[in-house]
Amino acid sequence: MVRDTTVLMDEKRIFKASDEIKENALVKNWESEIEKGKDLEKYWSEKAEQFEWFQKWDKVLDESNKPFFKWFTGGKINLAYNAVDRWIKTEKRNQVAILYINERGQEKKITFYELYLEVNKVANALKNLGVKKGDTVSTYMPMCPELLIALLACTKIGALHSVIYSGLSVGAFVERINDAKVKVLFTADGTYRRGKIIDLKNIADEAILQCPTVETIVVVNHTGTPIEISELSGREIFYERLIDGEPAHCEPEPMDSEDPLFLLYTSGSTGKPKGVLHTTAGYMLGAATTLRNVFDIHDDDLWWCTGDIGWITGHSYVIYGPLLLGTTTIVYEGAPDYPDPGVWWKIVEKYGVTKFYTAPTAIRHLMRFGTRYTNLYDLGSLRILGTVGEPINPEAWVWFYENVGKGKCPIMDTWWQTETGMHMISPLPVADLKPGSTTLPLPGVDADVVDEEGNPVPVGKGGYLVIKKPWPAMFRTLYKDEERFENVYWKEFPGYVYKAGDMARKDENGYFWIQGRSDDVLKIAGHRIGSAEVESAFVGHPAVAEAAVIGRSDPIKGEVIKAFIILKEGYELKTHLIEDLKKHVRYELGPVAVLGEIVQVDKLPKTRSGKIMRRILRAQEMGEDLGDTSTLEE
Ligand code: PRX
């Protein structure tokens, strides 16, 4: 749904960086860094020198087979080696790498050296289980240290990981595991959420019955719930047992730059979620460089990204970006408002967080409490703030700026996607900011707004957001679906320009204002979910004949689902059926699929070929003109 936030925007209101921010900044001149980034190969190859390569690359960018771009071909490198092993040879050896904190106030600190030992043990154990380079390992886990360790262990031995967000449920789980033919799964007994323990194991147990390729299930007893050993039969093994006695050294697998690194499933406008494939060197480079530049990461920083590792934000900016820079990363498990809505601010004070990155939905939620909680704690350690996942409305931006950042922390509104792997359009800390604008494409990124034919649109006019040149952390394909990769993203506009799936406009300073998705992808509390997936969950219920869903705007979550359903004969949409439908969709997709409203209808608007026209439902919902209805059946 395209949410037009134009009315709220004040393009003339500019927030300038303080002298202190400017003096400290690693990149002091935004414009000249953007200028440097125009020489793509030079820019990115200079940045690539930050890593330890086993073998240097021959070619920076290979564009010979568009859109299958390749970066740093001929190079050999290992992610885990650069994120962990490299630091134990330096003064960072005993520095905290992972600072795990949960909503109960418990914490665990893991130094780079301790991380090194445990990653090696898990890596060796995986090898013993028969996991080889190119195999896929999945995780269905809470935000906990073992999750990061498992992922790093995969990258150390060259196995791909495919993380399943712990808020997804059975249906989504089974689809992901089976599509990727997963061999080993890591899961846990449960996760802490709002004072309760959410059972993950029972979902995994149920789902796994439908996943024949999984040979081993590694169980972390995270919340200490007693798990009967008798339950751990056949395919299951406790995490502690898995690593017990494993050697503490493991040679990193020298990976070709373009060797697959991980899969991450995400929703598109049609069909099932697709496996977005990222490869090794370019992804590492994109994640590390953007984190350093956008959040101005120095050695004394304490970095906190509240994103979940189940999504790309957690991959790039909870695990890989920070560890590749040798920066302590906070891993937080829990809700933003439990035990009270001051929990995050309490953590900022207690640990002295300097850089804080979160989602607009969380800001809107916490903003309801005014200054009550932000004033309870000393937030003076904060230097830079950031947001991601959906457009931020200027009110929320200003509240965040004034009450959390106390008027001295610039806000980095970062636009990017699972597919892009790294921040693409975002200010740097020295930039002039306008609340609600993601400002300019980052150095080394070439983005634009175009019309249906692919021509740049005039200032102020809405259009399709595109990326015109390749970037290192770009996804390389959709798993087992090169055709969809080419057709959905690269064929719409001439010249192999990447179509992002968002609408945007540019103002007279060239600043980008993201308006929302141009396709049938919903953004619920920043989570991405396809209309088609929700519809198919509805139709899986015995009472539903047909379903169409659209996003309905919501003041906190951005969007929630509005479903139009045709019931089968003999059914009526009474309270118990509504409850049952909600339960069913939640069972299939998980709590991410937030149902706002279910409406019973007799007919759905369709094209003559039978395709549901969600556009008509959306226009009706918003009281807008129905637009071109020539293809409508009746
Ligand atoms: O619609 C855009 C929105 O999130 C989409 C990508 O979702 P996902 O792949 O789940 O990745 C989210 C985290 C990177 C985009 O197509 N989006 C992301 N960041 C912003 C945004 N919309 C507006 N402003 C942003 N800063």
Side-chain angles (χ1 to χ4, degrees):
M1 179 162 100
V2 179
R3 249 180 308 133
D4 191 357
T5 42
T6 323
V7 281
L8 300 168
M9 289 168 181
D10 177 1
E11 291 179 10
K12 302 282 178 274
R13 192 162 180 202
I14 289 178
F15 290 74
K16 289 191 178 287
S18 66
D19 289 343
E20 198 189 333
I21 291 284
K22 286 185 178 157
E23 272 157 31
N24 268 318
L26 294 167
V27 178
K28 295 210 173 353
N29 189 327
W30 190 28
E31 286 79 10
S32 79
E33 186 76 6
I34 289 175
E35 224 19 70
K36 275 194 235 159
K38 289 189 175 153
D39 188 343
L40 277 195
E41 297 199 25
K42 182 160 181 284
Y43 183 78
W44 287 114
S45 62
E46 276 174 16
K47 302 285 179 208
E49 300 284 354
Q50 68 183 291
F51 297 131
E52 260 187 52
W53 293 76
F54 300 136
Q55 186 178 301
K56 194 128 182 231
W57 61 89
D58 305 320
K59 196 167 169 51
V60 180
L61 173 61
D62 175 357
E63 299 189 82
S64 59
N65 183 22
K66 293 176 186 175
F68 300 94
F69 298 96
K70 290 183 180 160
W71 285 87
F72 302 102
T73 47
K76 287 203 181 287
I77 195 163
N78 182 282
L79 194 164
Y81 178 85
N82 274 278
V84 185
D85 305 25
R86 184 166 50 129
W87 304 121
I88 67 163
K89 296 182 279 180
T90 72
E91 72 286 356
K92 290 184 192 280
R93 178 186 173 92
N94 297 320
Q95 182 196 305
V96 174
I98 298 173
L99 170 53
Y100 162 80
I101 308 166
N102 66 28
E103 62 176 27
R104 302 186 169 202
Q106 295 159 329
E107 62 167 49
K108 188 171 181 189
K109 292 178 175 167
I110 299 177
T111 64
F112 277 100
Y113 181 66
E114 289 164 339
L115 184 60
Y116 166 81
L117 293 184
E118 195 146 328
V119 167
N120 287 346
K121 288 182 180 224
V122 175
N124 286 325
L126 284 174
K127 283 190 188 169
N128 289 342
L129 292 175
V131 177
K132 296 183 298 296
K133 181 178 173 188
D135 286 343
T136 307
V137 171
S138 256
T139 61
Y140 183 65
M141 289 178 84
M143 289 288 280
C144 66
E146 290 82 0
L147 170 56
L148 287 84
I149 291 162
L151 302 185
L152 286 160
C154 290
T155 66
K156 186 128 197 192
I157 64 170
L160 284 78
H161 55 69
S162 169
V163 177
I164 305 173
Y165 174 52
S166 62
L168 294 177
S169 201
V170 178
F173 180 120
V174 172
E175 249 167 37
R176 285 162 171 76
I177 297 265
N178 287 346
D179 189 62
K181 300 208 168 28
V182 169
K183 251 188 161 169
V184 174
L185 169 77
F186 284 77
T187 188
D189 54 343
T191 179
Y192 301 114
R193 191 82 185 168
R194 292 207 168 86
K196 295 198 194 111
I197 293 175
I198 312 277
D199 195 335
L200 292 178
K201 181 79 174 31
N202 68 348
I203 299 177
D205 281 348
E206 192 176 336
I208 213 76
L209 295 173
Q210 302 170 55
C211 302
T213 60
V214 176
E215 292 165 13
T216 310
I217 303 158
V218 182
V219 183
V220 176
N221 200 354
H222 173 61
T223 63
T225 321
I227 302 177
E228 292 287 324
I229 290 293
S230 58
E231 282 180 44
L232 294 176
S233 55
R235 301 193 268 186
E236 298 182 328
I237 179 169
F238 274 123
Y239 176 85
E240 296 300 334
R241 273 266 313 281
L242 176 86
I243 60 173
D244 193 27
E246 285 297 340
H249 177 79
C250 173
E251 274 303 306
E253 182 73 33
M255 304 286 281
D256 284 345
S257 295
E258 282 295 336
D259 273 336
L261 181 66
F262 66 80
L263 290 175
L264 187 57
Y265 283 78
T266 190
S267 300
S269 44
T270 53
K272 292 183 175 176
K274 44 204 179 166
V276 165
L277 178 83
H278 282 284
T279 59
T280 307
Y283 173 80
M284 291 169 60
L285 179 61
T289 308
T290 50
L291 177 62
R292 192 199 304 273
N293 284 350
V294 173
F295 285 94
D296 198 40
I297 299 293
H298 293 254
D299 271 351
D300 60 352
D301 268 316
L302 180 55
W303 166 250
W304 185 9
C305 165
T306 68
D308 195 286
I309 291 171
W311 308 104
I312 192 71
T313 305
H315 281 61
S316 298
Y317 301 111
V318 177
I319 317 181
Y320 294 133
L323 296 180
L324 284 167
L325 297 180
T327 302
T328 307
T329 184
I330 293 185
V331 174
Y332 177 71
E333 181 186 13
D337 56 359
Y338 185 87
D340 64 53
V343 59
W344 281 3
W345 318 133
K346 189 174 179 179
I347 292 172
V348 169
E349 177 188 274
K350 178 169 178 191
Y351 297 95
V353 174
T354 58
K355 311 283 164 77
F356 180 71
Y357 187 35
T358 193
T361 185
I363 298 167
R364 288 194 296 265
H365 179 62
L366 295 172
M367 181 177 152
R368 291 188 304 176
F369 305 96
T371 54
R372 194 162 134 213
Y373 292 99
T374 48
N375 284 350
L376 268 186
Y377 301 97
D378 181 354
L379 305 182
S381 58
L382 289 171
R383 284 186 225 134
I384 294 169
L385 305 174
T387 73
V388 58
E390 49 172 330
I392 180 161
N393 45 316
E395 291 89 334
W397 195 103
V398 172
W399 180 86
F400 195 34
Y401 184 82
E402 287 177 348
N403 300 300
V404 178
K406 309 294 179 194
K408 65 176 179 62
C409 305
I411 299 177
M412 305 296 104
D413 178 353
T414 60
W415 176 88
W416 59 296
Q417 308 176 301
T418 309
E419 292 89 339
T420 70
M422 65 182 216
H423 301 146
M424 299 294 282
I425 307 178
S426 165
L428 297 186
V430 293
D432 288 351
L433 305 173
K434 300 183 190 183
S437 168
T438 58
T439 75
L440 300 178
L442 283 174
V445 173
D446 188 356
D448 207 351
V449 181
V450 300
D451 63 17
E452 309 250 304
E453 273 79 53
N455 304 310
V457 296
V459 169
K461 196 164 181 300
Y464 298 92
L465 181 59
V466 295
I467 315 290
K468 298 200 291 196
K469 301 237 174 73
W471 64 100
M474 64 199 302
F475 68 142
R476 300 304 199 261
T477 191
L478 293 178
Y479 187 58
K480 294 193 296 200
D481 205 348
E482 292 193 343
E483 210 178 304
R484 191 165 167 201
F485 171 75
E486 287 200 75
N487 291 338
V488 171
Y489 298 100
W490 302 97
K491 289 275 176 73
E492 188 100 5
F493 303 112
Y496 291 102
V497 161
Y498 170 78
K499 182 189 176 194
D502 279 312
M503 302 299 286
R505 67 188 168 83
K506 291 203 287 185
D507 67 18
E508 74 281 2
N509 298 115
Y511 276 30
F512 285 66
W513 300 77
I514 311 291
Q515 294 170 306
R517 298 286 309 188
S518 62
D519 53 12
D520 288 317
V521 169
L522 308 176
K523 270 279 168 173
I524 302 175
H527 297 149
R528 182 166 159 179
I529 188 156
S531 302
E533 280 169 80
V534 186
E535 288 161 3
S536 115
F538 266 108
V539 176
H541 188 282
V544 181
E546 281 188 72
V549 313
I550 59 168
R552 190 189 75 184
S553 74
D554 179 272
I556 307 285
K557 296 196 182 296
E559 275 185 322
V560 292
I561 297 164
K562 177 161 182 178
F564 299 84
I565 55 169
I566 303 180
L567 289 177
K568 289 191 188 149
E569 249 183 64
Y571 288 96
E572 274 182 78
L573 196 63
K574 295 229 170 100
T575 318
H576 76 272
L577 180 56
I578 295 181
E579 283 315 307
D580 201 49
L581 286 169
K582 283 188 176 167
K583 236 167 70 193
H584 173 78
V585 171
R586 201 183 157 97
Y587 174 81
E588 285 294 324
L589 299 172
V592 286
V594 183
L595 282 174
E597 194 179 349
I598 305 176
V599 204
Q600 187 181 352
V601 291
D602 298 331
K603 272 189 198 149
L604 289 169
K606 285 189 188 158
T607 59
R608 277 176 217 112
S609 59
K611 221 174 137 231
I612 295 171
M613 293 177 83
R614 300 187 191 99
R615 178 174 68 74
I616 303 269
L617 294 171
R618 270 195 296 265
Q620 241 169 13
E621 171 75 12
M622 291 159 83
E624 286 171 357
D625 183 56
L626 298 189
D628 179 7
T629 53
S630 57
T631 54
L632 193 63
E633 190 185 25
E634 55 182 84

